[in-house]
Amino acid sequence: MPGEVVCIIGPSGSGKTTFLRCINQLERIDAGALWVDGELTGYRHVAGALYPLSAAEIARQRRVTGMVFQRFNLFPHMTALQNVMEGPVQVLKQPAAAARAEATRLLDRVGLSHKAGAYPAQLSGGQQQRVAIARSLAMSPKLMLFDEPTSALDPELVGEVMQVMRDLAASGMTMLVVTHELGFARDAAHRVVFMDDGRVVEIGTPGEIMNGPKHPRTRHFLRTVLGPGA
């Protein structure tokens, strides 16, 4: 639903990242179907049969989603400002002045206006991830995908990225977040999805999943992560 925050939790190797990559069409699904913003992704129906979309059609569909990866994937030879400007200028064909103004606004939104001229090597991991978030927002996505965005960060840097994500959630951004940060899932999510072995095991509100999971596999996972008293 528009404006909803859904968090996906589960053990490593359960298919969480693969699911996000399928939504963003970095992986091609070979069974079932996915719709994003009401449109079938990756394929078209013709006379009852499915045919793969062309690379150009996939690129068009992909523009409605922004994805923030575990690793920041910034261009090392570009400043923070240039990294955020690159997509709007090269893909959306925005005038450089307009892209620069929007990139400046977005860097301010993630608390990095003072680092606009810094290169990635001059930024901490948390700062790089916040630039990556601004870069995704610059494409005006309808859906933001986050793939364990704090897993590559030192523990003391996790909070600054989580705060940006909480602010995005509070602003009404539609978000699908794969995370091990169960506190974020509890506080910011509208729904929590527990996955295991490539399948959705259980879906519910944060209270339902965290406080009274119905499936034994969910209960076991939460006890393992949160401790015996969870």
Side-chain angles (χ1 to χ4, degrees):
M1 293 289 291
E4 187 176 23
V5 179
V6 176
C7 285
I8 304 176
I9 63 173
S12 297
S14 60
K16 305 183 301 294
T17 292
T18 299
F19 179 50
L20 286 199
R21 290 177 63 85
C22 287
I23 292 173
N24 207 33
Q25 301 192 61
L26 297 172
E27 304 278 354
R28 186 179 290 278
I29 63 174
D30 53 16
L34 278 169
W35 282 263
V36 176
D37 196 30
E39 185 175 5
L40 180 66
T41 64
Y43 296 88
R44 69 162 55 87
H45 280 288
V46 178
L50 286 176
Y51 295 89
L53 298 181
S54 67
E57 291 170 316
I58 288 174
R60 175 189 61 79
Q61 286 191 337
R62 193 179 283 142
R63 288 180 194 172
V64 304
T65 61
M67 188 158 181
V68 178
F69 299 87
Q70 297 177 30
R71 296 290 175 178
F72 324 121
N73 295 337
L74 299 179
F75 295 114
H77 62 291
M78 294 182 178
T79 65
L81 184 67
Q82 291 168 335
N83 265 280
V84 179
M85 289 176 59
E86 182 71 3
V89 170
Q90 298 298 327
V91 178
L92 302 182
K93 307 303 180 185
Q94 289 183 3
R100 178 180 296 273
E102 179 64 4
T104 300
R105 185 188 71 81
L106 289 170
L107 285 175
D108 182 62
R109 182 176 182 180
V110 300
L112 289 175
S113 58
H114 62 298
K115 294 291 187 179
Y119 290 89
Q122 299 170 312
L123 301 173
S124 70
Q127 290 170 336
Q128 290 186 61
Q129 192 63 294
R130 285 188 280 159
V131 173
I133 292 171
R135 181 180 59 182
S136 291
L137 291 173
M139 299 297 287
S140 300
K142 295 182 178 180
L143 169 66
M144 283 285 285
L145 307 173
F146 292 86
D147 183 16
E148 298 187 21
T150 61
S151 64
L153 300 179
D154 291 334
E156 66 267 24
L157 301 178
V158 169
E160 63 188 62
V161 174
M162 287 284 98
Q163 186 56 54
V164 170
M165 293 175 63
R166 284 187 169 90
D167 291 344
L168 283 178
S171 75
M173 172 63 71
T174 307
M175 298 164 58
L176 186 58
V177 184
V178 169
T179 185
H180 289 299
E181 300 292 337
L182 298 187
F184 176 82
R186 186 189 301 274
D187 297 340
H190 296 93
R191 285 188 293 166
V192 174
V193 176
F194 176 70
M195 287 187 66
D196 187 44
D197 196 24
R199 297 179 180 275
V200 172
V201 175
E202 191 167 350
I203 302 175
T205 66
E208 290 168 343
I209 298 299
M210 303 294 184
N211 300 330
K214 295 181 173 60
H215 198 282
R217 183 66 186 92
T218 313
R219 291 196 294 271
H220 179 267
F221 172 78
L222 291 173
R223 281 198 302 270
T224 302
V225 174
L226 299 176

